[in-house]
Amino acid sequence: MIETKKIYLDCAATTPVDPEVFEAMEPYFNKIYGNPSSIHSFGREARSALDKARQEAASFFNCESEEIIFTSGGTEADNLAIMGCVFGSKAEKPHVITSKIEHHAVLSTVEHLERKGVIEASFLGVDEFGEVSVKDLEKAIKPNTVLISVMYANNEIGTIQPIKEIGRLVREINKQRGEKQRLYFHTDAVQGVGYLEADIKALGVDLLSMSGHKIYGPKGIGLLFIKSGTEIVPILHGGGQELKKRPGTENVAGIVGLAAAINKIKSQKSKARMTEDLRDYLIGEILAKIPDTILTGHPKKRLPNIASFCFKGVEGESILINLDLAGIAASSGSACTSGALEPSHVLSACGIEPRLAHGNIRFSLGKFTTKEDIDRVIEVLPPIIEKLRRISSIH
Ligand code: PLP
C-alpha cells in the first residue's frame, strides 16, 4: 500500500514546535533545572534564563521587561487581563465591553462575571465580514466602563480588527477622564502575533495576550503584556513570582521555548508572504471549483494563514472526516455537541444562517505548508463536497 503524505492545515489550532525552539528548551528539563526563586547557583542559572526570555519578549513587543508576565497560555492571559482589571477597578459595578466573536477564553470569562453580578457587560456585534465598528464601540462606552477587550485577529475567520483605531479612541477617552477611573484596552493577540505588527506602543493597547503553541513554541505557555501603571490584581494566589502578578514556580523550559519562538517570528516574515500567496491560491481555486460556497471573514483584512469556507447543503463534520480519510487535517467552526449541531458563535455573529454555517471548514496554513499540499486539497475537496451533497439531508 502506498502511504499518502499527511497534510496538516490546522495551524490555528496548534503548530508543531520548531526544531530550533525544541533545541533551546531541552537543557531546561534536566540540566538547568533549578527553581528560579532559589538563591544557589542552580536557581541563579534558571533565573538568568528567565530574565533573558523576558527581555527578548519585551524587545519584540517594544516594551519594558517588567511589563511581561508569563502565564500558562492564552486562556490564562485573557482571564488575568479581564478578571485582574475588573477586580483591580474602583468602580462600584464595572462595565466591560467585548465583541461577540471573541475566543471563549474572553467571552466565557466576561459572561461568567456578568452572571455572577460582578460586572455589566456589552457584547458588540460585527458586520458580515466579522469586523467590529469603532463607532458602535464608542457609543457603548459609559462612565463606569473599565475595560474594552477586542481581539487582534479572529481564530475562525481570520478577520483583523481595527486595533490602532480603538487604541486611539481609548487614549482620547482617558484624556477626558483625567484622574478618574482609567479605561483599559485589552487585545487577545493569540492568532495575530505571528503575522501582524506587534509594537505595543504603535498598537496603543494596555494589555495583550499571546500563546506559545500558535507560533511554533510549546503548549502550556503564554504571556500577558501589562502596561506599567495598569491597576490589575492577580487572579491566582500563592507566591510572589512573575512580579507578584502570577504566582507559581515558573515553567522555565516553556518560557525559554516561548522566547525562542518569539525570536523566530521576525525572520519568518518572508515565509508569511508565501503563506498568504498559498492561502489566496486555495481561496481562488475552491471558490471557482465548488459552487454554492462562501468565503467567511474579511476579503482583505485577514490573517495570511486562514481560509474558512461554508459549503451549502453539507455538514462540516462530515467534510472533516472525509478530509481526514484523505490524510488532510482541517477544522470546523460547527461542533456536534450532544447530537445537536451548534453553529459557531462567530459565524452566527457574521449573520451567516445556521444551515450554511453548518457546512463550515477552516484551513489554517503554516510555515511548512507547500503548494503540493494545497494542490492536494484542491484535488480532493470538490469530489468530497459533491458526494456529501448527493447524500445530504440538509437542503
Ligand atoms: N485566544 C485565541 C484567539 C485563540 O485562538 C486561542 C486558542 O485557540 C486562545 C485564546 C487560547 O490559547 P491557549 O490555547 O494558549 O490557552
Side-chain angles (χ1 to χ4, degrees), residues 66-69 80-90 146-148 170 174 181-186 200 204-208 224-234 243-245:
E66 304 74 53
E67 296 177 312
I68 298 289
I69 300 299
L80 175 56
I82 296 163
M83 294 213 267
C85 273
V86 164
F87 292 125
S89 100
K90 291 180 192 73
V146 300
L147 179 70
I148 292 170
V170 170
N174 280 326
Q181 168 69 52
R182 285 261 336 254
L183 171 59
Y184 294 123
F185 177 28
H186 165 246
I200 293 283
V205 295
D206 300 296
L207 301 129
L208 178 145
L224 180 65
F225 156 77
I226 307 177
K227 191 174 172 180
S228 73
T230 304
E231 299 207 18
I232 191 164
V233 295
L243 311 148
K244 298 198 169 67
K245 293 197 175 79

Side-chain angles (χ1 to χ4, degrees), residues 155-209:
N155 46 304
E156 287 188 32
I157 57 176
T159 300
I160 300 167
Q161 301 297 341
I163 296 303
K164 282 188 184 175
E165 267 178 85
I166 301 174
R168 272 195 293 274
L169 171 68
V170 170
R171 280 197 292 269
E172 272 311 305
I173 305 273
N174 280 326
K175 260 192 224 152
Q176 291 160 21
R177 282 191 179 184
E179 291 303 301
K180 283 185 274 178
Q181 168 69 52
R182 285 261 336 254
L183 171 59
Y184 294 123
F185 177 28
H186 165 246
T187 193
D188 172 337
V190 166
Q191 296 288 344
V193 151
Y195 293 102
L196 309 173
E197 180 171 12
D199 183 323
I200 293 283
K201 295 190 176 80
L203 294 177
V205 295
D206 300 296
L207 301 129
L208 178 145
S209 314

Side-chain angles (χ1 to χ4, degrees), residues 35-37 47 50 54 68-73 76 80 84 221 226 232-251 255:
N35 185 325
S37 297
R47 164 69 49 197
L50 201 60
R54 202 184 306 279
I68 298 289
I69 300 299
F70 293 114
T71 65
S72 66
E76 190 193 326
L80 175 56
I221 192 71
I226 307 177
I232 191 164
V233 295
I235 55 167
L236 298 176
H237 301 278
Q241 290 95 342
E242 288 304 297
L243 311 148
K244 298 198 169 67
K245 293 197 175 79
R246 198 274 181 180
T249 302
E250 300 87 343
N251 172 2
I255 290 169

Side-chain angles (χ1 to χ4, degrees), residues 11-12 191 195 275-276 279 302-307 363-366:
C11 289
Q191 296 288 344
Y195 293 102
T275 305
E276 192 161 12
R279 178 207 65 187
R302 57 188 302 129
L303 284 173
N305 66 327
I306 292 184
F363 296 102
S364 46
L365 288 58

Side-chain angles (χ1 to χ4, degrees), residues 72-343:
S72 66
T75 301
E76 190 193 326
D78 285 342
N79 273 259
L80 175 56
I82 296 163
M83 294 213 267
C85 273
V86 164
F87 292 125
S89 100
K90 291 180 192 73
E92 204 168 301
K93 186 143 186 183
H95 175 232
V96 175
I97 303 172
T98 189
S99 85
K100 287 186 180 165
I101 62 160
E102 297 299 309
H103 188 273
H104 282 113
V106 167
L107 219 44
S108 301
T109 307
V110 176
E111 283 165 357
H112 169 74
L113 293 171
E114 188 191 33
R115 250 194 327 270
K116 288 280 173 193
V118 179
I119 60 164
E120 265 180 68
S122 299
F123 300 90
L124 294 175
V126 291
D127 65 12
E128 62 183 301
F129 304 125
E131 197 176 357
V132 164
S133 145
V134 182
K135 280 209 180 81
D136 289 352
L137 174 63
E138 190 171 1
K139 278 191 225 140
I141 298 172
K142 306 185 204 184
N144 61 332
T145 309
V146 300
L147 179 70
I148 292 170
S149 182
V150 173
M151 70 201 316
Y152 200 170
N154 184 269
N155 46 304
E156 287 188 32
I157 57 176
T159 300
I160 300 167
Q161 301 297 341
I163 296 303
K164 282 188 184 175
E165 267 178 85
I166 301 174
R168 272 195 293 274
L169 171 68
V170 170
R171 280 197 292 269
E172 272 311 305
I173 305 273
N174 280 326
K175 260 192 224 152
Q176 291 160 21
R177 282 191 179 184
E179 291 303 301
K180 283 185 274 178
Q181 168 69 52
R182 285 261 336 254
L183 171 59
Y184 294 123
F185 177 28
H186 165 246
T187 193
D188 172 337
V190 166
Q191 296 288 344
V193 151
Y195 293 102
L196 309 173
E197 180 171 12
D199 183 323
I200 293 283
K201 295 190 176 80
L203 294 177
V205 295
D206 300 296
L207 301 129
L208 178 145
S209 314
M210 74 161 296
S211 174
H213 73 107
K214 312 285 184 181
I215 58 159
Y216 307 94
K219 294 169 182 59
I221 192 71
L223 65 78
L224 180 65
F225 156 77
I226 307 177
K227 191 174 172 180
S228 73
T230 304
E231 299 207 18
I232 191 164
V233 295
I235 55 167
L236 298 176
H237 301 278
Q241 290 95 342
E242 288 304 297
L243 311 148
K244 298 198 169 67
K245 293 197 175 79
R246 198 274 181 180
T249 302
E250 300 87 343
N251 172 2
V252 180
I255 290 169
V256 167
L258 176 63
I262 288 174
N263 286 339
K264 290 212 79 177
I265 291 177
K266 275 198 185 123
S267 63
Q268 287 165 182
K269 283 279 181 271
S270 63
K271 288 230 172 75
R273 225 160 296 134
M274 273 165 54
T275 305
E276 192 161 12
D277 289 346
L278 288 175
R279 178 207 65 187
D280 289 344
Y281 172 53
L282 174 68
I283 292 173
E285 291 294 306
I286 294 296
L287 293 180
K289 289 199 158 74
I290 307 177
D292 292 322
T293 300
I294 62 155
L295 173 72
T296 72
H298 199 284
K300 291 207 175 68
K301 291 181 236 168
R302 57 188 302 129
L303 284 173
N305 66 327
I306 292 184
S308 151
F309 306 92
C310 290
F311 302 98
K312 199 173 160 199
V314 272
E315 281 169 14
E317 293 205 339
S318 311
I319 310 171
L320 273 191
I321 293 163
N322 279 272
L323 282 172
D324 193 36
L325 288 171
I328 299 167
S331 80
S332 173
S334 55
C336 187
T337 40
S338 52
L341 265 182
E342 284 288 329

